[in-house]
Amino acid sequence: MDLALVGIGKIARDQHVPSLDASPDWKLAATISRHGSVDGVEQFTSFEQFLDARQDIRVVSLCLPPVPRFDYAVQAIATGRHVMLEKPPGASVAECQKLLAMARAQGVALYATWHSREAAMVDAARDWLAGQKLRKLTVTWQEDVRRWHPGQDWIWEPGGLGVFDPGINALSIVTKLLPDALHLSAAELITPENRQCPIAAKLRFAHPHGADIRADFDWRKEGDQIWRIEAETDSGRMTLDAGGAQLSINGVPQQSDSAALSGEYPRLYARFAELVASGSCDVDLAPLRHVADAFMIGRREITAPFHE
């Protein structure tokens, strides 16, 4: 199937384009970007021009930042295109609900992707936890914003999410791992005095069976980066590390026995092909609701200015 990729930035070049090139389901037939292009692929700088000129391309993948993404998605769905959304799926929960209602009315596929859920050992961790009585779950997601998001000022503006841009990856894993629904009970948002969004956050969740669930997100981590989820149960301890790529149970490393596609984004695009074929939607907003709740109930703490 022909697909158009909108927004040719780092994530598109590093993940989307290689995954599309290797996919048996997709052909990258057009790109839309004011600043980037892909060799050998037809380029448009205007989305409206693309929609008019390439009415034969019925599938669009949106890699734009969350704030402008909504208007592009509305246009695509209104013209009968199937749409794939990078994470987070939008700048607000209401926007995403609107897109889902539009997609269902139009009979097109809408896919809100959570790439970290497709990390190699997430499913194995979920399967092990399914039979356990959970006592405690701790998320530690600490990285260096200067390394991973250099020069991306939009990420500090309203709708850019700040430290929740990586933190929502952890929340997407947690909401897949646990069979019981959580809700946020407390949050602390640590925000530089010269920025709109937090550089660190501490979260606590209410669990229906009383488990102690906490998350610590921090963008000021130098040296070794940490993307870890640790669970304590009646049967022992589980550690999901490296963003979901590594799993140990009671200190014993586990190996994946899955024959599934290798890599997070190839799996996303395989799933998207299924949704397009059936005209179905897959829009789980649980991770985004947790972030929205953090901004609603979180206590603010102002910290030193952040400069690149």
Side-chain angles (χ1 to χ4, degrees):
M1 292 176 281
D2 285 350
L3 176 145
L5 190 59
V6 186
I8 308 301
K10 178 175 174 53
I11 192 67
R13 294 186 183 282
D14 290 351
Q15 300 293 345
H16 289 262
V17 173
S19 298
L20 290 166
D21 286 346
S23 172
D25 300 307
W26 299 106
K27 174 187 175 183
L28 180 56
T31 63
I32 301 93
S33 175
R34 291 193 301 270
H35 308 294
S37 62
V38 175
D39 290 345
V41 178
E42 184 177 13
Q43 178 194 8
F44 295 88
T45 57
S46 162
F47 193 53
E48 292 79 5
Q49 181 188 16
F50 157 75
L51 292 173
D52 183 61
R54 294 301 308 266
Q55 296 184 30
D56 58 307
I57 300 178
R58 310 308 301 169
V59 186
V60 174
S61 181
L62 299 179
C63 301
L64 302 158
V67 170
R69 192 182 302 149
F70 175 74
D71 289 339
Y72 283 76
V74 165
Q75 293 180 72
I77 293 170
T79 55
R81 265 78 169 189
H82 306 281
V83 175
M84 176 169 162
L85 303 169
E86 247 294 352
K87 68 88 192 174
S92 74
V93 174
E95 284 185 355
C96 299
Q97 292 172 330
K98 171 68 173 179
L99 295 178
L100 179 57
M102 286 185 63
R104 286 173 171 165
Q106 287 278 9
V108 298
L110 180 66
Y111 186 22
T113 65
W114 300 106
H115 67 83
S116 290
R117 286 183 173 178
E118 304 301 329
M121 301 304 294
V122 170
D123 284 351
R126 177 198 58 194
D127 293 345
W128 186 81
L129 282 172
Q132 311 297 321
K133 178 176 174 57
L134 184 66
R135 293 177 176 174
K136 183 177 182 179
L137 186 138
T138 304
V139 178
T140 307
W141 225 254
Q142 299 179 352
E143 61 180 56
D144 185 350
V145 64
R146 292 182 174 89
R147 182 190 304 187
W148 301 102
H149 298 279
Q152 295 183 10
D153 288 340
W154 63 267
I155 215 164
W156 296 101
E157 295 299 318
L161 299 190
V163 75
F164 287 106
D165 179 81
I168 205 170
N169 294 336
L171 296 177
S172 74
I173 296 175
V174 170
T175 50
K176 184 176 184 179
L177 290 180
L178 302 184
D180 299 304
L182 309 171
H183 71 267
L184 192 73
S185 58
E188 179 182 350
L189 309 181
I190 302 162
T191 306
E193 65 178 27
N194 63 335
R195 301 289 178 171
Q196 294 291 313
C197 289
I199 196 169
K202 297 182 183 297
L203 310 179
R204 292 194 67 175
F205 294 88
H207 184 265
H209 304 298
D212 181 5
I213 300 182
R214 307 180 185 219
D216 181 4
F217 304 150
D218 203 319
W219 248 352
R220 300 167 295 187
K221 182 72 168 69
E222 299 180 359
D224 292 340
Q225 310 287 276
I226 304 173
W227 301 288
R228 181 177 302 138
I229 298 173
E230 299 169 286
E232 296 179 13
T233 77
D234 283 354
S235 300
R237 187 181 188 90
M238 181 212 79
T239 301
L240 189 63
D241 218 337
Q246 301 170 7
L247 175 66
S248 64
I249 305 296
N250 294 321
V252 179
Q254 307 295 300
Q255 300 297 321
S256 174
D257 57 1
S258 172
L261 288 170
S262 176
E264 297 172 5
Y265 281 83
R267 284 193 280 270
L268 292 179
Y269 274 105
R271 172 62 175 155
F272 190 34
E274 295 173 352
L275 295 172
V276 169
S278 62
S280 302
C281 297
D282 184 347
V283 181
D284 179 8
L285 300 181
L288 187 62
R289 282 196 296 269
H290 289 317
V291 174
D293 286 351
F295 279 102
M296 288 185 67
I297 70 172
R299 296 177 60 86
R300 267 64 172 182
E301 176 185 325
I302 302 303
T303 191
F306 172 80
H307 301 286
E308 287 278 357

